[in-house]
Amino acid sequence: MKIHSALSHHLAWVLLALLTVTAYAKDEPAPVSAKLANVRILATGGTIAGTGATSTTTVGYTAAKVGVEQLIEAVPALKQVANVTGEQVFQIASENMTDEYWLKLAKRVNTLLAQDDVDGIVITHGTDTLEETAYFLNLVVKSHKPVVLVGAMRPSTAMSADGPFNIYNSVVLAASPDSANKGVLVCLNDQINAARDVTKTNTTSLDTFRAPELGFLGYMQSNKPHFYRLPARKHTVDTEFDVSKLEALPKVDIVYGYANVTRTPVDALVAAGAKGIIHAGVGDGSIHNAVKPALIEARQKGVIVVRGSRVGNGIVARNGEANDDELDFVVSDTLNPQKARILLMLALTKTNQTSEIQRMFYTY
Ligand code: DAS
């Protein structure tokens, strides 16, 4: 009897040791599963890769510190939803975004999506210019495959950091066939937004990304996307823009309208070589009497002038608050100033005809 109990005792220890070793075995990369989609995560920095001094630090942390492999390792559940691989395209706080970074990212996305072994792409990104990168890619990605931008409002070191689950949802979204041909998507806080309409609406809150009046496309819930709307404007493969051979983008800047404004910013930007100016006007794109002469002179020098609005929602009506036909200005439709700038930059790679540029603002 004693031998039997000693043997079973020994076996129990062996079993426990085996279980312990298994539990602590480094997470071996999951075998590639033929039935799961292949999703590439392109990391660019931001809060989602940020670190703070304590678990309660949600302001005053350092963005763009954690690498793509660590971001992936922080979400072991990814292995159940896709074959995930990652690469660090660059590592910046996104307030420092540049045209060069955009061109590098866009070219990498198009190269990867042309590969049969890539089914979708997730881009981890700072939230400050996330809407701009999303809209830029919405106009230059040449694939029907899903491209999803994701960020976080709390750094990776924070208690209840939102990054890991945002990444999980974004990979599920990018792996879903339902996400194809919907343009570039933005996925945070369980919500799916369209690149054209989404904007950051709060400096610090988790639900900051909204399309205030046009609304988001749907929800992420129970490990899958639920779409309720589709983008109405052309995007990705249906645009006329191609950055594959571009090494730079035309210089386009923004001036802001407000009480007692002067013409100084407009004159300075024209002198600095701006090819286009977005006027973020008050109300329905109204221009102060002190500024209008500067914009007229800019136009006469060949600078394209787009009348936009600082308001954030609604259509800037052509020939409403200014005689655009006579002044040869373009109106921004419903694009906010920072997105109108992106469309004008790309438009200027194709034409400087204001009638053609206005068509583009009514198309994309
Ligand atoms: N500085 C911000 C950025 O990188 C942090 C963030 O991602 O919110 O956009």
Side-chain angles (χ1 to χ4, degrees), residues 64-82:
K65 301 296 284 181
V66 175
V68 64
E69 292 310 330
Q70 278 181 273
L71 293 177
I72 294 171
E73 282 166 15
V75 193
L78 290 176
K79 294 187 180 71
Q80 276 74 51
V81 296

Side-chain angles (χ1 to χ4, degrees), residues 45-48 61 63 92-95 125-129 152-153 200:
T47 292
I48 197 166
Y61 52 83
I92 63 167
S94 79
E95 61 267 31
H125 194 290
T127 59
D128 289 354
T129 59
M153 293 304 288
K200 187 172 182 180

Side-chain angles (χ1 to χ4, degrees), residues 300-320:
Q300 288 164 349
K301 291 174 183 170
V303 175
I304 302 294
V305 175
V306 175
R307 247 180 358 99
S309 173
R310 71 182 197 181
V311 162
N313 288 290
I315 298 171
V316 176
R318 186 168 177 83
N319 296 320

Side-chain angles (χ1 to χ4, degrees), residues 2 34 62 76 89 94 229 237 250 265 277 298 319 326 362:
K2 272 192 178 171
T62 306
V89 185
S94 79
R229 287 196 322 106
V237 295
I277 290 178
N319 296 320
E326 184 185 302
Y362 289 148

